[in-house]
């Protein structure tokens, strides 16, 4: 069975990124794909900031990535790049943690002006971790994800189609 690690790099519990995450989880569940979540926000801040490689939370998160065949990296755009909390976690992955894995970046941002964050900010870091098969990914504008009640979201039809296309490509690898 295919294993997918989903690394969530938002510091906010109520991010619109959760709408993209929910869509991806539902899609993967429908396809009977096993998923493991690495929610960086839930790793103790002290472990991240002080690079405690021996932290049980870091070891557990890294094991999920190690055991995965495929990796999805979700992040909002902050200051024209991925979040600092995501970078802090990626710094704690072993140097070749992404070798032989297919990676799918999924990003949400406020404007199309940050569209290139995937190519110019995220992909170089993933490459440095050994990733050689990084899919194009999907960039979503905040306004394309409507916030509903109870931390639920509705995605534009066009966004759903792009996400479905990228997720289908991911699980076919």
């Amino acid at each position: 069975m295919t294993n997918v690690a989903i690394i969530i790099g938002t510091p906010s519990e109520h991010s619109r990124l959760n709408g993209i995450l929910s869509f991806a989880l539902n899609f993967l569940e429908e396809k009977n794909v096993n998923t493991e979540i690495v929610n960086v926000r839930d790793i103790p801040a002290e472990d991240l900031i002080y690079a405690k490689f021996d932290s049980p939370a870091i070891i557990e998160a890294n094991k999920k990535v190690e055991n995965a065949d495929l990796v999805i990296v979700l992040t909002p755009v902050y200051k024209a790049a991925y979040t600092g909390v995501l970078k802090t976690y990626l710094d704690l992955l072993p140097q070749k943690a992404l070798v032989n894995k297919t990676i799918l970046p999924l990003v949400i941002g406020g404007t199309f002006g940050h569209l290139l964050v995937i190519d110019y900010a995220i992909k170089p870091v993933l490459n440095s971790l050994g990733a050689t098969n990084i899919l194009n990914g999907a960039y979503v504008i905040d306004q394309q994800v409507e916030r509903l009640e109870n931390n639920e979201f509705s995605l534009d039809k066009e966004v759903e189609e792009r996400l479905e296309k990228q997720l289908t490509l991911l699980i076919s690898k």
Side-chain angles (χ1 to χ4, degrees):
M1 175 181 257
T2 302
N3 291 314
V4 178
I6 302 175
I7 303 171
I8 307 165
T10 179
S12 173
E13 184 178 346
H14 303 289
S15 173
R16 282 189 166 93
L17 190 68
N18 290 332
I20 298 169
L21 172 63
S22 293
F23 184 89
L25 286 171
N26 288 336
F27 177 90
L28 295 170
E29 183 178 320
E30 287 175 9
K31 304 295 184 191
N32 295 316
V33 175
N34 184 46
T35 58
E36 290 281 352
I37 303 288
V38 175
N39 196 334
V40 180
R41 178 183 66 244
D42 294 338
I43 297 173
E46 187 172 292
D47 295 354
L48 291 167
I49 298 299
Y50 293 115
K52 293 186 176 181
F53 289 93
D54 61 346
S55 151
I58 300 293
I59 292 169
E60 179 184 347
N62 289 352
K63 194 69 156 168
K64 290 176 181 179
V65 174
E66 178 185 328
N67 291 335
D69 306 299
L70 312 168
V71 178
I72 299 174
V73 178
L74 291 107
T75 184
V77 174
Y78 286 4
K79 309 292 187 215
Y82 53 91
T83 62
V85 71
L86 177 60
K87 176 66 164 103
T88 304
Y89 172 66
L90 293 175
D91 286 346
L92 298 175
L93 279 171
Q95 185 60 45
K96 297 297 177 188
L98 301 181
V99 169
N100 298 323
K101 298 181 190 308
T102 300
I103 315 298
L104 175 63
L106 299 176
V107 179
I108 192 165
T111 71
F112 279 115
H114 298 295
L115 174 66
L116 295 176
V117 72
I118 293 174
D119 289 331
Y120 293 106
I122 297 173
K123 284 184 178 181
V125 172
L126 299 176
N127 281 326
S128 76
L129 290 167
T132 55
N133 190 15
I134 305 171
L135 302 178
N136 287 336
Y139 181 84
V140 177
I141 302 295
D142 286 352
Q143 296 169 348
Q144 295 176 305
V145 180
E146 180 184 356
R147 190 182 306 275
L148 306 173
E149 294 180 13
N150 300 322
N151 203 29
E152 292 184 13
F153 301 87
S154 174
L155 306 179
D156 280 1
K157 184 71 174 158
E158 182 268 339
V159 169
E160 289 182 351
E161 290 169 0
R162 286 192 295 122
L163 290 173
E164 187 170 325
K165 179 180 177 183
Q166 288 297 305
L167 290 163
T168 299
L169 187 60
L170 176 72
I171 63 173
S172 71
K173 296 295 177 180

